[in-house]
Amino acid sequence: MALTLQERLDASSRMALAAFLHDLGKFAERARIGEANEKRADGTTRIALEKQLHCPSFNGRHTHIHAAYTSIGFDLLEQHLPNLVGEHMTPFAPWRDRDVDDSIINAAARHHRPGTYLQWIVATADRLASGFEREEFDAYNAAPDEEQPKLNHYTKRQLTLLEGIRLQPKANAESAPQYRYPLKPLSPKYLFPVLAESAEQADSKKAQGEYLELWDSFRANLEKIPQSHRTDLALWLDHFDCLWQTFTHAIPAATAGQVKPEVSLYDHSRTTAALAVALWRFHQDRGEDTDAIREQLRVQWDRQRADSGESLEAWESEKFLLIQGDFFGIQDFIFASGGETQKRAAKLLRGRSFYVSLLTELAALRLLEKLALPPTSQVVNAAGKFLIVAPNTAEARATVAEVQAEFDVWFLRHTYGQSGIGLAMLAARSRDFQAGKQDQESPFRALMKRLFEQLDEAKLRRFGLCGETPADPLFRDFLNAFTSKGVCGIDGRSPATVEEDGMQIGAMAADQIKTGHLLANRQRVLISVERLNHRGLSLPIFGFHVSFTTGEDDSGRFGREAKTANLRRCWDFSLPESPDAPLWKGYSRRHINAYVPRFDAVNEWEAERYRGIENPATFDPHPNEIKTLNHLARDDRQVDPNGNWYGQEALMTLKGDVDDLGQIFQKGLERPSFAKMAALSRQMNAFFAIYLPWLCEHGEDGGVKRYRNIYTVFAGGDDFFLIGPWHSTLKLAQRMKSDFASYVAHNPEIHFSAGLSMTKPGLPIRQLAALAEEGLEAAKAYRPADAPDAGPAKNAVTCFGQPVSWKDFDAILTQETELERLAGEFGLSTGYVYGLLNLTDMATAVSQHPENALWHAYFAYRTRRMLESRIKGGEDRERTERKRRTLQGELAAEIAHKGIEQFGAAYKIALFTYLYQQRD
């Protein structure tokens, strides 16, 4: 009998859970949990029995003991798992019949010695996620995971994929990896790798103790998932996925044999679950004979029959459907301009940025639900893009087309085609997931190339307006939608439907403003089918309603909604509270919240630095209120001992992205696999989506929280856009470059470029974005002076219109500090420093205009005149003259030679940075 959509989702979620926890034993075994040595009535230990059931044998001894620990661990967690006891446990046998081959425990634990159809599904997914060939897996399956003389599976720590990325031809001899991830829960601090010697020591007992501490914390935190949410397997699995990521992101998935420990247990678990569900559903939805498929999968991995042709069907059939989603027009959406956008720019920006993340998340959720797939089938989710693994069936393809039409209608109705979410499908075979042999082209690398090419094609087919999309009625009724309220005062194109502070605005604009307001005092977002009795957004998104809640007590009241399946997701979006606190609060987490500066003290907005900008029409002062851009523009000003404020009142916009990201994914990995690709995407996103907001809120520079007034408009995937006080933002760019180098283990082939644009606060947001984009493009096109004919070097930043390498940027800002010292010692006037700007232009254009070589003489003359006015002659004229010449030589060395000669026009960065800090 065919399963209903809900039954298929529940069954797929159970399959996902079995595959997701197939390597649970690696965690439990390395922790040496005491329960494994409990004795049974006959005197045998529990682990001895489980070895007989689940572990393969090689040369008369059991290998891969972790498989036995998977069974033990599953039993230990059972009381906090969803209900797996009863008759309706499709596709598995009931939990109480665990000795039956097709129980969920056996499907998870017997992946190294599979026998049944479901066990072979999990085993095949496990091997495909790792990119194994037949021969490789045979060697891996025979390799011991017991203690070895130096480093073993207890003491080895996870390598970082980022350190091993190579885009340039490799040298003959590569150095050994120098960095490892600490064995700690996920947090801003422990996202960063450390030197191997500080993470790895050949002390198995100590290493086991570290694992046991992590295991105990994991089990304790499992209890925090609301018990009422266990009745909805997909909802619970979304929470559990986050918990598993928090505690296994730094556990190596494989340490046996010659496999490099460079993929985390989390990334391997998630990709295995996605492939297992897709593989099972492919055969289940087509009603195929399970005994025949079991044999087909078994033969697929039988090396002895590899050349017989029997295994071709399993390797060559396109059983997997990779579905990519991409939000296009993000900047048009966030920076859309209208009649009165400036009035509430900061709050509106925050609301729109969060709204973009919501749209992407809900688009993926809508597709998952229509396909009856669990949350683990979405293996990539970052910066407006997602990747879902589905079964390659005619039904699945038709469903994707149906959902695409639904998205098109929604975006055409609410954004009039300026933004949208495009879906692209690519069929894949088992063979496509193989990493490939060292001397051969990688099948998975070729698959990745096709994925990127296909997404590029999809971007050119937005909305398919020349196809079957029902867009005509939307446009035909456009004018009829307007009433006496007129046009939306925010976006300037939608029909106004509500009034907000005396302004007529549209439904989406009202929700965006409400979002910006609610984010200030909320920590969770609830996604439901029917509207909840709670404050939320008025406009449904792809059939879902969005509500915001505060703490756990508030969120916990929705247990009844979870039991009735009205509550589909509950996401914690709170920002990290400390550098080392685990990113887990009992609910699934989405890193979709930007950091935004707020007023802390009750009357902070009345501070002298803000005098004159308190306008009730644009600002409603109260504690925790978001600062306006006008306030941010003054946050770098300083006060002298006489109470006079000085320093430029201005904003700085910072926009950037990782250089050559496509090449990094397509060519950077030595032996690419599905798990590595997912890990690379997650790790790249984490720097910008997790660490950067934390840095803005809590990061210190010289003991001062310099960055707390910088707003992360969006940050995730590989790019970022920030607005803040001009000087603090400039310093943050420098800090980000340094921290990113540490994050990628100082790999010189991974870097980002950025554009900095300084403006007055009254400039429209869209223009701020355009200026920053121009700066970014100039940085991407940067060519070093010593290689003007080479291709763009990137790895650069544009500041005050000058593109420079990051190395030169650091050196120039050091020169700015030196200029400040010289100004204090020599009393350099503002006029003198301004005059240096013209000299930098002359020095840069000497080759085009030889007469500009006179800049040296002009510099000497102006410096001499300045010193004569500062150092008056006394009775000892000769001594005075020597002093003037000495000081003139020092100024020439520091400014003319180390500054203007070395950096040319780029020295303006130092000059402008100094001058704008002194301006009254």
Side-chain angles (χ1 to χ4, degrees), residues 340-396:
E340 300 182 66
T341 302
Q342 272 305 112
K343 280 193 172 182
R344 42 185 69 78
K347 194 173 295 185
L348 186 61
L349 268 181
R350 189 182 195 199
R352 284 177 170 171
S353 176
F354 192 89
Y355 207 86
V356 164
S357 298
L358 270 182
L359 287 170
T360 307
E361 292 286 351
L362 295 180
L365 176 58
R366 181 63 172 168
L367 189 55
L368 287 171
E369 290 206 341
K370 293 287 284 185
L371 292 166
L373 293 175
T376 50
S377 291
Q378 181 182 344
V379 295
V380 172
N381 181 21
K385 294 179 174 62
F386 59 82
L387 176 63
I388 290 172
V389 185
N392 184 31
T393 62
E395 179 188 4

Side-chain angles (χ1 to χ4, degrees), residues 690-758:
I690 299 177
Y691 177 70
L692 181 55
W694 178 88
L695 177 62
C696 289
E697 185 170 17
H698 300 289
E700 295 186 354
D701 181 1
V704 178
K705 291 184 177 180
R706 179 189 291 272
Y707 316 120
R708 64 182 298 272
N709 290 311
I710 299 172
Y711 171 29
T712 57
V713 178
F714 62 76
D718 71 312
D719 62 351
F720 52 91
F721 185 96
L722 302 93
I723 298 176
W726 75 272
H727 192 244
S728 295
T729 307
L730 184 150
K731 299 299 288 185
L732 176 63
Q734 190 178 25
R735 171 71 178 270
M736 284 177 61
K737 185 272 303 179
S738 174
D739 288 355
F740 189 70
S742 299
Y743 186 78
V744 301
H746 299 280
N747 185 340
E749 297 198 50
I750 309 179
H751 39 71
F752 63 77
S753 295
L756 286 156
S757 174
M758 183 175 175

Side-chain angles (χ1 to χ4, degrees), residues 55 260 469 498 540 577 659 809:
C55 299
K260 287 184 179 180
T469 301
V498 298
E577 297 173 351
D659 297 318
F809 187 67

Side-chain angles (χ1 to χ4, degrees), residues 93 213 267 294 405 544 575 709 894:
E213 181 181 356
D267 294 299
R294 178 195 60 197
F544 299 110
L575 294 175
N709 290 311
E894 295 297 332

Side-chain angles (χ1 to χ4, degrees), residues 876-894:
D876 192 343
R877 295 186 177 181
E878 185 176 341
R879 181 179 179 183
T880 300
E881 181 60 24
R882 284 200 305 271
K883 183 177 181 180
R884 287 173 179 164
R885 289 186 177 278
T886 298
L887 296 179
Q888 184 172 354
E890 184 177 347
L891 288 172
E894 295 297 332

Side-chain angles (χ1 to χ4, degrees), residues 79-366:
Q79 61 179 317
H80 300 300
L81 299 180
N83 186 10
L84 296 174
V85 178
E87 294 300 324
H88 303 292
M89 293 293 116
T90 307
F92 301 104
W95 180 282
R96 65 170 178 268
D97 295 332
R98 57 159 300 176
D99 291 333
V100 175
D101 283 342
D102 266 342
S103 69
I104 191 171
I105 286 186
N106 289 342
R110 293 186 183 175
H111 58 282
H112 280 287
R113 52 175 299 189
T116 71
Y117 164 61
L118 294 178
Q119 291 167 18
W120 269 110
I121 291 286
V122 174
T124 298
D126 170 38
R127 301 171 194 186
L128 294 182
S130 299
F132 279 126
E133 305 271 350
R134 286 190 185 88
E135 296 83 352
E136 280 184 305
F137 184 76
D138 285 347
Y140 172 73
N141 213 29
D145 55 359
E146 59 191 27
E147 296 191 24
Q148 298 165 8
K150 190 176 180 182
L151 291 178
N152 52 54
H153 65 295
Y154 300 117
T155 57
K156 284 180 181 179
R157 293 296 176 257
Q158 186 181 319
L159 308 180
T160 165
L161 285 171
L162 297 167
E163 183 179 9
I165 294 292
R166 294 293 180 269
L167 300 180
Q168 302 300 323
K170 299 176 184 177
N172 292 331
E174 262 193 278
S175 59
Q178 301 297 307
Y179 289 86
R180 308 289 187 273
Y181 287 113
L183 190 66
K184 297 289 185 180
L186 183 67
S187 68
K189 178 179 179 179
Y190 296 121
L191 284 170
F192 285 74
V194 297
L195 288 171
E197 52 264 30
S198 65
E200 288 181 334
Q201 285 120 25
D203 185 338
S204 293
K205 291 297 182 183
K206 181 180 178 182
Q208 291 165 7
E210 291 176 353
Y211 268 109
L212 182 59
E213 181 181 356
L214 197 63
W215 170 263
D216 289 341
S217 184
F218 160 69
R219 289 189 62 186
N221 278 279
L222 175 59
E223 300 180 27
K224 293 182 179 180
I225 299 178
Q227 186 172 354
S228 60
H229 290 196
R230 295 184 203 170
T231 58
D232 187 325
L233 197 50
L235 175 64
W236 181 90
L237 194 57
D238 195 42
H239 298 322
F240 184 80
D241 175 80
C242 180
L243 171 70
W244 190 248
Q245 178 185 8
T246 301
F247 288 93
T248 66
H249 80 107
I251 294 179
T255 57
Q258 300 301 311
V259 178
K260 287 184 179 180
E262 57 186 356
V263 174
S264 75
L265 185 55
Y266 171 74
D267 294 299
H268 178 66
S269 299
R270 190 177 180 100
T271 48
T272 299
L275 290 168
V277 170
L279 184 59
W280 174 72
R281 281 283 300 278
F282 176 80
H283 297 297
Q284 169 70 24
D285 292 356
R286 288 156 52 103
E288 297 181 343
D289 179 74
T290 58
D291 290 336
I293 300 305
R294 178 195 60 197
E295 181 65 12
Q296 184 187 102
L297 294 175
R298 186 181 70 81
V299 172
Q300 176 178 345
W301 296 97
D302 189 341
R303 223 176 5 137
Q304 302 302 319
R305 301 161 73 174
D307 299 325
S308 67
E310 293 181 70
S311 65
L312 288 180
E313 175 65 21
W315 281 110
E316 300 298 336
S317 293
E318 294 181 328
K319 300 180 180 181
F320 304 95
L321 185 64
L322 305 182
I323 308 167
Q324 297 182 97
D326 185 22
F327 192 121
F328 56 81
I330 288 181
Q331 293 198 47
D332 288 333
F333 188 92
I334 294 179
F335 303 119
S337 59
E340 300 182 66
T341 302
Q342 272 305 112
K343 280 193 172 182
R344 42 185 69 78
K347 194 173 295 185
L348 186 61
L349 268 181
R350 189 182 195 199
R352 284 177 170 171
S353 176
F354 192 89
Y355 207 86
V356 164
S357 298
L358 270 182
L359 287 170
T360 307
E361 292 286 351
L362 295 180
L365 176 58
R366 181 63 172 168

Side-chain angles (χ1 to χ4, degrees), residues 350 354 519 522 573-575 590-595 689 693 712:
R350 189 182 195 199
F354 192 89
L519 289 175
R522 302 295 192 273
F573 58 77
S574 59
L575 294 175
R590 293 296 188 273
H591 305 291
I592 56 179
N593 192 11
Y595 170 71
T712 57

Side-chain angles (χ1 to χ4, degrees), residues 4 33 35 199 232 279 339 420 448 490 503 541 562 611 623 687 772 798 892:
T4 66
I33 58 173
E35 292 86 349
D232 187 325
L279 184 59
M448 286 293 299
I490 295 295
M503 181 191 301
I541 302 176
R611 187 171 298 280
F687 180 85
T798 300

